[in-house]
Amino acid sequence: MTDGLVVRLRQRRPVDLDLELACASGRVLGVVGPSGAGKTTLLRFIAGLGRADEGSIRVAGETWFDSVSGVWRPPHRRAVGLVFQEHALFPHLTALDNVALALKRLPARARREEAARLLARVHLAGLEQRRPSALSGGQRQRVAIARALARDPAVLLLDEPFSAVDRRTRASLHRQLAELRQSLDIPVVLVSHDIEEVVRLADEVAVLDRGCIVRHARADELLADADMRRLLLGDDG
Amino acid sequence: MMDWQALGVSVRLAAWTSVLLLPAGLWLARVLAFSSLRGKPWIEALIAAPLVLPPTVLGFYLLNLLGANSVLGGLWSGLFGHPLAFSFEGLLIASLIFNLPFAVQPMQRAFEALPPDVREAAWVSGLDPWETFWRVELPLAWPGIASALALTFAHTVGEFGVVLMVGGAIPGETRTLSLAIYDRVHAFDFDAAGTMSAVLLLVSIAAIAVVYGFSGRRNPVDD
């Protein structure tokens, strides 16, 4: 596979990891598992916010990390879109400028126009001039998604993206992500501890436990498996 | 009455100290805020030393550092033909050192208060570390940086002990307003001392008010 995401990582400390996974363009890979399993660490390594002792990360045919040949690209040189758990918007900038700052690839004149287009795409037209503190949790989440897409990423990473919003907002964000992915031709990795959310949004699911992938299956297969239901849902039935 | 020359020396010294400590302080504060150096507590203690040392002790060591027999003093007089101690430049070097905690500590606290994931968000948005500094860190840390500048300026204008030890009260060169006031009190010229004290008070308060006014004292996060 040359067009998607191929990851192979190994390390012992500070978080135990030993895994290989791949995700093709246009597919959504859900990563679930108990807390401390290494889900966030995995995303941070793909984004370049940390480095594993051994392994490699290849995205769209480009090597971002390879411990054998010594390749390591810093995060600002990886075409990655990362949506943080707590959004991590720039608090001193408006919604529009939050997105425009990630549009370095465009000439300065075109950035604001493109930022407005991206905000409209996540249904935030009219709120361009609001600062993050004047937005609701769900709205902040959409700004974060627009900002992640602004870089024209080769891979989109979502770290528990819906955990900081209430139930109703979550349902509408789910619909929006499902709609958005139709138009995205890149691999999407969705980390969540909510198995139902992952089953609804992902094509395939990797179950991570203590840094290892204990199961990699289609979402519907996973739910049909009684052992997995027990591990992930605590379901005895 | 009013020693305008001394006021000029004080303001010149305070301005140069603030201007030179801004980049140096920012660099040091960032290194201390974001890195986990092994000797960090010792570096921090060294920077904080001027806060707790008596000005005479600090002045004594600075005098040794700047004196004609020191490496720095010898190098300086070889290059410029006049000694470093008891010159404006020598006083400025002393001022930079004794103001380090006033500049570095508020800046360091401001950088430490930045949420770590906001810097990471800047990197994954494609900003290199230098752009992240200008576009994200500096605007968010600005209130702390402004406080640091105001403190440094006001503290330099008000400094007495170290200036007395290192400067030698040469008119137009190292005689600051605080030294002129001391001198006038010893001569029982209380009118002049009173006028100059009032001017010093005003300059210090005005300096702080101007910087605070510029920075708005608003926390950009709560805006």
Side-chain angles (χ1 to χ4, degrees), chain A residues 44 47 49 75-76 78 80-82 84 86 88-93 101-104 131 133 147 151, chain B residues 115 117-129 131 135-137 139-140 218 220-223:
Chain A
R44 291 178 63 83
L49 297 173
H76 66 273
R78 299 184 183 201
V80 64
L82 172 59
F84 288 77
E86 306 286 342
L89 297 180
F90 307 125
H92 59 303
L93 298 179
L101 201 56
L103 284 163
K104 265 177 63 188
R131 295 254 182 120
S133 55
R147 182 178 67 180
R151 233 186 138 178
Chain B
D117 59 357
V118 169
R119 295 174 71 220
E120 292 177 343
W123 300 334
V124 298
S125 295
L127 275 65
D128 63 34
E131 289 165 325
R135 305 296 300 273
V136 176
E137 291 171 24
L140 288 175
R218 279 176 311 163
V221 178
D222 298 332
D223 182 51

Side-chain angles (χ1 to χ4, degrees), chain A residues 98-117:
Chain A
N98 259 278
V99 180
L101 201 56
L103 284 163
K104 265 177 63 188
R105 62 192 167 87
L106 298 180
R109 294 174 286 111
R111 287 178 198 162
R112 296 177 73 82
E113 204 173 305
E114 174 66 8
R117 201 187 60 77

Side-chain angles (χ1 to χ4, degrees), chain B residues 18-78:
Chain B
S18 307
V19 165
L20 294 177
L21 269 185
L22 178 63
L26 280 176
W27 178 77
L28 252 174
R30 258 189 106 257
V31 168
L32 290 172
F34 296 143
S35 70
S36 43
L37 295 168
R38 188 168 298 203
K40 194 165 133 177
W42 290 100
I43 300 171
E44 286 174 319
L46 205 61
I47 290 171
L51 289 176
V52 292
L53 284 180
T56 45
V57 173
L58 191 62
F60 175 76
Y61 284 120
L62 286 169
L63 210 50
N64 277 298
L65 175 79
L66 305 173
N69 297 326
S70 75
V71 178
L72 187 63
L75 207 65
W76 185 275
S77 57

Side-chain angles (χ1 to χ4, degrees), chain A residues 6 10 18 20-21 37 46 64 77 83 118 130 136 142 147 149 157 159 181 184 198-199 223:
Chain A
V6 186
R10 265 179 84 112
D18 187 356
E20 277 179 46
L21 56 81
I46 297 173
W64 288 358
R77 292 190 51 235
V83 176
L118 282 163
R130 295 256 185 109
S136 72
R142 293 183 208 179
R147 182 178 67 180
L149 294 175
L157 310 172
D159 186 10
R181 62 159 295 195
L184 286 180
V198 169
V199 166
L223 277 190

